[in-house]
Amino acid sequence: MQTHKAKRVEIIIEAPMEGRLTAALEKAGVTGFTVLPVLGGSGRSGRWTREGQVGRSGMVAVVCLVRPEKLDTLLEAAFTVVDRHIGVIGVTDAEVLRAERF
Amino acid sequence: MQTHKAKRVEIIIEAPMEGRLTAALEKAGVTGFTVLPVLGGSGRSGRWTREGQVGRSGMVAVVCLVRPEKLDTLLEAAFTVVDRHIGVIGVTDAEVLRAERF
Amino acid sequence: MQTHKAKRVEIIIEAPMEGRLTAALEKAGVTGFTVLPVLGGSGRSGRWTREGQVGRSGMVAVVCLVRPEKLDTLLEAAFTVVDRHIGVIGVTDAEVLRAERF
Amino acid sequence: MQDILSLATANLLTPMILCFALGLFAALARSELSIPEAVAKGMSIYLLFSIGFKGGVAVADHGLDATLLAALAVGVILSFVIPFVAFGLLKAMTRLSATDAAAVAAHYGSISIVTFVTGSSVVQGAGLVAEGYMVAVAAAMEAPAIISALYLASRSGGRAEKMDADLWREILLNGSIVLLVGSFLIGLVTGQPGMARIEAFIVAPFQGVLCLFLLDMGLVAGRGMRGAKGVMTPGVLAFGLVMPVVGAAFGLAAGMALGLSTGGVALMMVLAGSASYIAVPAAMRVALPDANPSVYLTLSLGVTFPFNLVIGIPAWVAVAQAVGG
Amino acid sequence: MQDILSLATANLLTPMILCFALGLFAALARSELSIPEAVAKGMSIYLLFSIGFKGGVAVADHGLDATLLAALAVGVILSFVIPFVAFGLLKAMTRLSATDAAAVAAHYGSISIVTFVTGSSVVQGAGLVAEGYMVAVAAAMEAPAIISALYLASRSGGRAEKMDADLWREILLNGSIVLLVGSFLIGLVTGQPGMARIEAFIVAPFQGVLCLFLLDMGLVAGRGMRGAKGVMTPGVLAFGLVMPVVGAAFGLAAGMALGLSTGGVALMMVLAGSASYIAVPAAMRVALPDANPSVYLTLSLGVTFPFNLVIGIPAWVAVAQAVGG
Amino acid sequence: MQDILSLATANLLTPMILCFALGLFAALARSELSIPEAVAKGMSIYLLFSIGFKGGVAVADHGLDATLLAALAVGVILSFVIPFVAFGLLKAMTRLSATDAAAVAAHYGSISIVTFVTGSSVVQGAGLVAEGYMVAVAAAMEAPAIISALYLASRSGGRAEKMDADLWREILLNGSIVLLVGSFLIGLVTGQPGMARIEAFIVAPFQGVLCLFLLDMGLVAGRGMRGAKGVMTPGVLAFGLVMPVVGAAFGLAAGMALGLSTGGVALMMVLAGSASYIAVPAAMRVALPDANPSVYLTLSLGVTFPFNLVIGIPAWVAVAQAVGG
Ligand SMILES: Nc1ncnc2c1ncn2[C@@H]1O[C@H](COP(=O)(O)O)[C@@H](O)[C@H]1O
Ligand SMILES: Nc1ncnc2c1ncn2[C@@H]1O[C@H](COP(=O)(O)O)[C@@H](O)[C@H]1O
Ligand SMILES: Nc1ncnc2c1ncn2[C@@H]1O[C@H](COP(=O)(O)O)[C@@H](O)[C@H]1O
Ligand code: NA
Ligand code: NA
Ligand code: NA
């Protein structure tokens, strides 16, 4: 089937920042994204698991498929939010089926 | 370690369609896949979150690693199910360790 | 924005092995990873869903972003744990924003 | 009329309705208050099990009434017929496409179990005793409307998926039907001795659980409303307020024709006047994917459900008492 | 025999057993009815906490019995020994590999807490009072069978992982052992004053919660059965029905040798005749990964658990009464 | 003093404290025992709803006390002031950065709802009756401390995010405030008739649910402790033990100045001496992201919460009785 080049961006971020991140993405023109739950992880700020948490803490993963030319706008928007916070951003090359959707 | 070329297909689809999608995949000879929960997202059909849902609604992510030559069969099978429904399909190049498994 | 080459490794493994896998990763010098919940899947050992499970069973997905030169150490460490168990390992090329973190 | 109004006002100040209002408020004010999905589902399983079991025990106590089969048949017919009425009203009152209108019609022909549970609790609070088999009637009314809706959609040129065996099974064996009918049968078989064993679990805490569950319903309805700007034209909104009254009128006629008790007539009105928001939406996503889920979910959950909770149920109970008493 | 049969039939018509049957039916009919994992785990925590606490309070009431230590020791010995018997039977009755047979044997040496909880409820329903410390015996019987199984596997050339400190900790401090022993001790320390504070929570709703929990067990067992085509040869199936009887016979002998009360003998039979499906499967995945989980999970959960629920428990209670009364 | 000690010792042997201890033990021993997040959240919703509703009904019973507004105002002032005291103590006792110290100070100015719930239960167990509106005071004390802390941080050159409308809404409409105030109002409006409907759900099982909830708190606190090596210097640890006493002294003065009942004074001490671990940490992650969450979470949850549970609460109740009786 015919596919079109795209970028897959995966952002792991603290749950209290999720709303701010998706708002920033929408402001930057990114209208498609998916939020996945995260059970735990490890990074510079140490190891954590959902079980060791109370309240709203914890992290989520936000996945966006975008056209390659939109990548920079997206990264800048995301970076403003993630910058001072715990979290990581990874980008992979991808392909999507219906380019008109992105 | 020696790795082999593969494709990673990620399908985000409405939960009520999950069974039909995996049945279509199996029918197309794809025996390996993993289903991940989804908390929320945004797309052409607007923003949704799991919290704003009742009943069986919501979405899931289905991830398949397949040999490159099987990709087209997989995409066609998946597309038949996803076509008229809410959801996206993304493909990335990947590598796997034990090719005989795929 | 400036990005740096990295590898994204995704390991799907039985939940009772999660602690052993992350311990092995840490021992191999991999300090960053994220654990995602899994709802179900299919593979050589057949089809399973979380609903058909009791107790601690089920699977999780562990995602690591690492520098390319660390990939082999990571795969070897992961493989020792996954080897005789149910599960798969997939690798994709990726890019990350702040290389000093990985 | 005066009586009905004062009854409705009294109903407004119960913990149940106020919990629903609290949930609505929290969602509309964008508070992050939320009840975990698993807990909400656990509560709904508890409520269904409890109401099904109690219905079964009631039937075991009073013996199988000759009207049981008649009531089931009438319920099925109502569920088949009401979508045609709803479709006609929608065509007259709104500009929805035929597919959207058919999907909405399916929801109003089917029933809302939570409305039924709340109605049962209000009926009981009014000192009435309804036929225990009304839970079986509720279960019987879930599915037929879906068939009418698919017929309406394809008659109007909509692209309905064909009803394959999987879809039939999903609809007829959906979780709430199986649980409701199953616990009804368990109550029927074990009767009072069974009740004695689990009464402390399913009777005493019932209303309290219902409060927390309606808090969650308020949260969900409020979040749905927030996301539904643009979908709600005045015509669509009006339909969501008129249709439950029309449905309840059908229920009233059916209940009286069957010769049900006052409580039974009230519950028949509640059922016919309620709109599904669990089983039917899932079926529509599979069978009528081109229909816009925002329309039917907002109508059913954001307009008709609150209307029934606050105005409909107490009004139907009062009407049934006026007519039956 | 007649008595045992009529008792078993009476037991069949309790809400608990019928809820299990409803779950089985729903799963086999592929209904999408399901209880969220978190809710099911929450209910199992409630049941374990309640039964442990009640056991502790019972011991606080009656004083520490001299047979407590003896019963613990006998429980540990049974758990060590039964896997050898099970392994022998499996070799005789089935064609399972040595590794698979060893893994299955571990499950039957260990115990099923849910079977024990249900058994306690039936024992109590029969008007019997068992020793409160039986919950401690249950905890003590969980782990030893694993060691026997690993010995059996490696003696037959299987590749058992070596038991490292982590695995030991996981087995000995698994959630249900810690919760059961912990709540037993809390009940022992706080006694009746503690009971008075939380009785309304842990006593009255117990049987109702157990009903919903068994509904979930039925769903899980049924889904397991559906996925297990091909694994269940007649020999394997027969083992799953014979082994609980053999185990219960060991339990009967042990209970009478210890001089337990009638209720205590019944519970000892229930424990010895039950098969683990939580702690041992997880340990097997780590320590004996080559063993096929479908075999041991289907046997334990899909064959022996339903057998014990429906036939075993009432039969053991009747046998204990016949022997003890 | 003797009395206070013996009271504290009696308190140690309640099921609630022992459940907390069991959780701590299980976590420190690295048992995999865990309570699903959804269930723990469900229990906390139950506890908040129950305590808010009961407070509202109590106010409905006794009429609106003239001191209600005064108590709310005093609560707000305490929440504003205590962070300055805490910040001063932290600067004197520890080497924490200004940003970390400000973040910690916010937690101690705010309150812990679970400590308050447990305190209410102990107050009631001591035969005391507190003002029903104390739950509203609790809600009012959650947020002001955050403002003081952000002021402290920016005064010391820390990079506090500016408080935008979103952050205000998140803080003022956080889940526990909305649920507590909402259920308080529902209780106030529905009074005894409302209570009669849901009493069996919110009163009788309360202490039992609190036990399981504290078991989970013990697990979470213990896992937090395990991950906090390196953060806990002796100075920081000492602060976590001294600050609740200082806060409680403020609460004592405030409660007596307001002329509260003995139970009310005790609860005011409990509130002022407790440290937030839900609302404030989430706000700090947004508004003061450079502050180290391990420091404030470990202090609040791993040091001060257990201290209050085991020593603080019974001591404050005894002090209030000595002073007030
Ligand atoms: N290299 C990595 N690969 C995958 N996930 C990571 C990585 N580094 C950090 N994370 C995730 O991001 C969270 C915060 O990372 P950090 O800000 O480094 O503490 C961790 O808990 C992980 O869930
Ligand atoms: N560009 C995208 N990147 C990631 N996920 C997406 C994207 N577009 C849509 N989705 C996901 O697919 C769902 C349905 O999309 P749509 O059919 O466009 O409404 C959304 O709610 C998202 O979860
Ligand atoms: N090709 C694949 N793509 C994605 N996930 C897979 C694949 N193969 C296996 N899995 C996952 O790994 C689990 C165990 O696989 P297996 O060891 O092949 O039985 C499955 O249940 C799936 O969740
Ligand atoms: Na209807
Ligand atoms: Na056994
Ligand atoms: Na405080």
Side-chain angles (χ1 to χ4, degrees), chain D residues 78-79 82 106-112 141 243 247 269-276:
Chain D
L78 280 180
S79 180
I82 290 178
H107 290 71
Y108 284 84
S110 181
I111 57 116
S112 151
M141 290 177 76
M243 190 60 216
M269 295 176 76
V270 168
L271 285 173
S274 73
S276 168

Side-chain angles (χ1 to χ4, degrees), chain E residues 54-273:
Chain E
K54 285 184 277 192
V57 172
V59 171
D61 281 355
H62 299 111
L64 268 176
D65 200 295
T67 55
L68 165 58
L69 284 182
L72 286 174
V74 168
V76 169
I77 293 170
L78 279 180
S79 180
F80 267 121
V81 170
I82 290 176
F84 288 89
V85 181
F87 190 80
L89 276 175
L90 283 162
K91 282 285 152 201
M93 296 172 73
T94 74
R95 294 178 177 209
L96 292 181
S97 74
T99 305
D100 280 346
V104 170
H107 290 72
Y108 284 84
S110 182
I111 58 116
S112 151
I113 280 292
V114 177
T115 312
F116 177 71
V117 166
T118 313
S120 303
S121 166
V122 172
V123 161
Q124 197 191 325
L128 302 173
V129 179
E131 285 76 8
Y133 57 69
M134 286 308 289
V135 298
V137 175
M141 290 176 76
E142 282 216 63
I146 296 171
I147 299 162
S148 303
L150 296 186
Y151 168 76
L152 285 164
S154 52
R155 202 190 55 178
S156 325
R159 277 173 64 194
E161 300 280 330
K162 71 174 204 297
M163 297 281 290
D164 58 8
D166 279 349
L167 189 51
W168 275 118
R169 205 198 48 247
E170 280 168 27
I171 292 170
L172 293 177
L173 293 180
N174 87 58
S176 57
I177 292 187
V178 169
L179 189 52
L180 208 54
V181 173
S183 54
F184 175 77
L185 293 176
I186 294 176
L188 189 60
V189 169
T190 61
Q192 282 301 341
M195 180 56 109
R197 276 164 176 261
I198 62 174
E199 189 159 21
F201 177 62
I202 66 171
V203 177
F206 187 83
Q207 297 219 33
V209 176
L210 185 55
C211 280
L212 284 191
F213 187 73
L214 289 176
L215 172 63
D216 183 59
M217 291 296 305
L219 288 166
V220 172
R223 296 213 166 98
M225 285 177 192
R226 253 175 50 213
K229 303 159 206 148
V231 176
M232 277 297 111
T233 62
V236 170
L237 187 71
F239 171 82
L241 300 172
V242 168
M243 190 61 216
V245 182
V246 174
F250 275 85
L252 176 63
M256 296 194 59
L258 284 163
L260 296 180
S261 68
T262 303
V265 170
L267 287 186
M268 199 60 139
M269 294 175 77
V270 168
L271 286 173

Side-chain angles (χ1 to χ4, degrees), chain D residues 44-93:
Chain D
S44 80
I45 288 169
Y46 167 85
L47 294 172
L48 288 181
F49 177 75
S50 169
I51 200 145
F53 190 87
K54 284 185 280 192
V57 172
V59 172
D61 281 355
H62 298 112
L64 267 178
D65 199 297
T67 55
L68 165 58
L69 283 182
L72 286 174
V74 167
V76 169
I77 293 170
L78 280 180
S79 180
F80 268 121
V81 169
I82 290 178
F84 289 88
V85 181
F87 190 79
L89 276 176
L90 283 163
K91 281 287 156 200
M93 297 172 73

Side-chain angles (χ1 to χ4, degrees), chain F residues 8-197:
Chain F
T9 322
N11 174 60
L12 280 179
L13 299 185
T14 58
M16 292 180 307
I17 304 295
L18 292 174
C19 280
F20 181 76
L22 175 59
L24 267 188
F25 163 79
L28 293 175
R30 293 201 281 148
S31 162
E32 41 90 80
L33 177 61
S34 73
I35 294 188
E37 207 190 341
V39 172
K41 202 171 165 207
M43 291 195 290
S44 80
I45 287 170
Y46 168 85
L47 294 172
L48 288 182
F49 177 74
S50 169
I51 199 144
F53 189 88
K54 284 185 277 189
V57 172
V59 171
D61 281 355
H62 299 110
L64 267 177
D65 199 298
T67 54
L68 164 59
L69 284 182
L72 286 175
V74 167
V76 169
I77 293 171
L78 279 179
S79 180
F80 269 121
V81 169
I82 290 176
F84 289 89
V85 181
F87 191 79
L89 276 176
L90 283 163
K91 281 289 154 194
M93 296 172 74
T94 73
R95 297 180 175 205
L96 292 180
S97 73
T99 304
D100 281 346
V104 170
H107 290 72
Y108 284 84
S110 182
I111 58 113
S112 151
I113 279 292
V114 177
T115 312
F116 177 72
V117 167
T118 314
S120 304
S121 166
V122 172
V123 160
Q124 196 191 326
L128 301 173
V129 179
E131 284 76 9
Y133 58 68
M134 287 308 289
V135 296
V137 176
M141 290 177 76
E142 282 216 64
I146 295 170
I147 299 162
S148 303
L150 296 186
Y151 168 76
L152 284 165
S154 52
R155 201 190 56 178
S156 322
R159 278 173 63 194
E161 301 281 331
K162 70 172 204 295
M163 297 280 292
D164 55 10
D166 279 350
L167 188 51
W168 275 118
R169 206 198 48 247
E170 280 169 27
I171 292 170
L172 293 177
L173 292 180
N174 88 56
S176 57
I177 292 187
V178 170
L179 189 51
L180 208 54
V181 174
S183 54
F184 175 78
L185 293 176
I186 295 176
L188 188 60
V189 169
T190 60
Q192 283 300 341
M195 180 57 110
R197 277 163 176 261

Side-chain angles (χ1 to χ4, degrees), chain A residues 12 40-45 48 59 86-88, chain C residues 32-34 63-65 101-102:
Chain A
I12 315 239
S42 173
R44 291 175 323 139
S45 63
W48 70 274
M59 308 196 81
I86 295 171
V88 288
Chain C
F33 56 81
T34 297
V63 174
C64 312
L65 290 161
R101 293 201 165 202
F102 295 88

